Amino acid sequence: MVASLLPIDQILLGDCLTMLAQLPAQSVDLIFADPPYNLQLRNELRRPDQTLVDGVDDAWDKFGDIQAYDAFTRAWLSECRRVLKASGTIWVIGSYHNIFRVGAIMMDLGFWILNDVIWHKTNPMPNFRGTRFQNATETLIWAKTSADQQTYTFNYHAMKHLNDDKQMQNVWRIPICTGAERIKVNGQKAHSTQKPEALLYRVILASSQPGDVVLDPFFGSGTTGAVAKKLGRHFIGIEQDPAYVAIARERIAAIPAPASAALLMTPSRREAPRVAFGELVAAGYVQVGERLYSRDRAVVAEVKADGHVVWNGVSGSIHAIAARAQGKPAYNGWEYWYVEDDAGRLASIDELRERYRAERLG
Amino acid sequence: MVASLLPIDQILLGDCLTMLAQLPAQSVDLIFADPPYNLQLRNELRRPDQTLVDGVDDAWDKFGDIQAYDAFTRAWLSECRRVLKASGTIWVIGSYHNIFRVGAIMMDLGFWILNDVIWHKTNPMPNFRGTRFQNATETLIWAKTSADQQTYTFNYHAMKHLNDDKQMQNVWRIPICTGAERIKVNGQKAHSTQKPEALLYRVILASSQPGDVVLDPFFGSGTTGAVAKKLGRHFIGIEQDPAYVAIARERIAAIPAPASAALLMTPSRREAPRVAFGELVAAGYVQVGERLYSRDRAVVAEVKADGHVVWNGVSGSIHAIAARAQGKPAYNGWEYWYVEDDAGRLASIDELRERYRAERLG
DNA sequence: CCAGATTTTGAATCTGCGG
DNA sequence: CCCGCAGATTCAAAATCTG
């Protein structure tokens, strides 16, 4: 739920640390942070045809020394940890110039890393000098607030669906932000490190629910806000440059209202209403005395009135008996047992449960 | 050149720090280090079929606390920096459990990072619990001894040739070590974390010359020595476990005199980029809530944010719903569904995929 | 002996709720 | 806090088995 005092769907103009300090503790569900990378470019870089590469030389990426960068990193990450709900998670993106320092500081502050996710760019800039491997990646760290944190949002099945129904890996092949998506002002890049919406799409879809509040303390051109709005999430942005704020406001305002909530959700099997096997018996979906079969019919059990089953004289839950019949320490009985229909075919009791849920539990 | 007092092509049995201290300063050309990752596994892990995962529970991966791990890391990296020639470079491999600490300490000691290289495993272990993204990577840091170091070995063209004559990226798709290459003792893994030779092949071929000395302070089963010998380099291994030393000695002794490098090369596999329908949604080629039509418009489905579609209240992949709508066991959804363009004409989603591939995947 | 089916396995910080 | 238990959860490649 949204706390009433939160500056929902707003961009706060000001210094990152100052503005973070004004947010209440444990108030946001998700944080995405794209901090300065502290690039240390020594000279201008030219392509083989001698044209100049337009690199990052913004004032916001200049720090006195590495200690100053560490201190700044520790400060904003500490504030983020305070502001994050107990159930929340944080994403931080960086490159090899800064991500190791960021990751070590996150661990020192108590964050517990869930994954390092590799953004593998499909169209990275070449290494013009032939002096190193082509740098085609940036790294995202996804973490919860502590090792002991019990629950956090991970829309496992949404990610699996996005990936052709196979478990999604921690390597994401996504193009850099170019073309119509890249915001330009007078023909120039409006922001030197604008992130692609496809990247935020995965971050937000994976680790938040519709209606959640997503905080981005380095809002820049507003990609986080734009995708949050498209996916029916609220956002809070912090940005110190008025020009970026103006660009982001205009960008987000132009986005139409999100699609219907149902299309934004991927229900988790874990959150489906729990059904005890005994409920199926009580409701007549399974009869007392009816036989349950393993898939190959080698194991046969009998249903008791209390929802337990009897096999070889042993009584127990569908799970306990399925485990015992296979000599395993545990087993999900819903996937093990079948009943015989009128035509003599086997039907899974998991399908019966699905039918019960649809017909009786809405 | 090889210093005469160096213990060339030998495995030194003993503690890593003690043995490193005995090596002369600026004496080796390349270091590859695979230190303990300090995994902190809390419970046993079982696969969905209840079989037990044989995890890493070796004594050598146990540290008192994170400070002890940092101190150890700083100590062996300092020694490595002393032992490395002014023209040498170092590789360190790790996972998200330790690589951020290792990277930060390397920077603190004065190492200058050249690349972070992602080992993208082609056959990683799944996340059996569905609680995170499948962890399919390990990270290598490649660094020179200081920012001011002028020269170092990088066989740019050898890498380019390995990669179908295109500049090699910092993402390497290599299988984990299995099959005949995986050393077994009494049918059990001889070492719990044996690295594939293909990985060391790239490391050594990229950053050393034939005749150079490659040092590995955590020698383990001796993959570094085996590949160094095959590629005509000298090695020095340090290993504290006599059992591992025996295994590595036998392994390396069985390797014949170096063959021509060309015979050892792993041909790079070119894979046609697989595109999930969800990618088109994430990239805005199809909108959330947009309608998909069968060719005759008799079947209409709606697009969800996760790339599944909804038809008659049933949700599933484009393939599953296309099959279901036709009463078939399976169907290729790419050939079944169409979207309506601005002029009201139907356009195949397969054409959209083609356009996406051309525009986004190069 | 071969093709196809089945089983095995891997550096993993891997559950949640109620009593 | 601990304990018990329902029940959700896997992919690619190699090895082994079967017909």
Side-chain angles (χ1 to χ4, degrees), chain B residues 44-81:
Chain B
E44 66 176 23
L45 176 64
R46 288 178 182 274
R47 301 184 181 82
D49 65 3
Q50 296 301 312
T51 57
L52 191 63
V53 173
D54 181 17
V56 175
D57 62 351
D58 306 80
W60 50 253
D61 198 41
K62 299 273 185 290
F63 291 83
D65 53 28
I66 200 78
Q67 284 74 30
Y69 185 78
D70 283 357
F72 172 70
T73 302
R74 198 169 291 109
W76 72 259
L77 277 168
S78 297
E79 282 299 314
C80 282
R81 190 152 182 267

Side-chain angles (χ1 to χ4, degrees), chain B residues 35 37 43 47 96 124-125 129 182 195:
Chain B
Y37 289 6
N43 299 105
R47 301 184 181 82
Y96 67 86
M125 179 158 40
R129 291 291 196 172
R182 185 95 199 200
K195 295 292 175 291

Side-chain angles (χ1 to χ4, degrees), chain B residues 126-141:
Chain B
N127 181 296
F128 294 116
R129 291 291 196 172
T131 53
R132 306 176 178 196
F133 297 97
Q134 181 183 22
N135 183 24
T137 62
E138 293 187 27
T139 300
L140 300 100
I141 296 175

Side-chain angles (χ1 to χ4, degrees), chain A residues 251-267:
Chain A
R251 173 183 185 182
I252 295 169
I255 293 169
S260 85
L263 295 176
L264 299 174
M265 303 278 295
T266 303

Side-chain angles (χ1 to χ4, degrees), chain B residues 196-212:
Chain B
E197 294 196 3
L199 190 74
L200 271 295
Y201 189 92
R202 290 201 189 182
V203 165
I204 294 175
L205 195 63
S207 51
S208 71
Q209 304 293 351
D212 277 359

Side-chain angles (χ1 to χ4, degrees), chain B residues 131-166:
Chain B
T131 53
R132 306 176 178 196
F133 297 97
Q134 181 183 22
N135 183 24
T137 62
E138 293 187 27
T139 300
L140 300 100
I141 296 175
W142 181 39
K144 54 182 185 178
T145 55
S146 78
D148 300 326
Q149 182 178 337
Q150 293 293 326
T151 59
Y152 55 89
T153 299
F154 178 49
N155 296 312
Y156 175 76
H157 285 101
M159 289 296 103
K160 193 168 176 178
H161 295 162
L162 259 189
N163 192 43
D164 268 353
D165 284 341
K166 286 187 305 185

Side-chain angles (χ1 to χ4, degrees), chain A residues 80-109:
Chain A
C80 283
R81 190 153 181 267
R82 181 185 66 81
V83 163
L84 204 50
K85 283 186 188 171
S87 59
T89 60
I90 183 172
W91 293 79
V92 186
I93 186 169
S95 68
Y96 69 85
H97 308 87
N98 72 323
I99 198 66
F100 301 115
R101 312 201 76 81
V102 167
I105 289 170
M106 287 178 73
M107 292 171 82
D108 289 344
L109 290 175

Side-chain angles (χ1 to χ4, degrees), chain B residues 271-291:
Chain B
E271 293 158 10
R274 192 173 57 83
V275 175
F277 183 68
E279 286 183 58
L280 299 194
V281 182
Y285 282 66
V286 181
Q287 308 305 319
V288 175
E290 190 170 350
R291 287 179 170 185

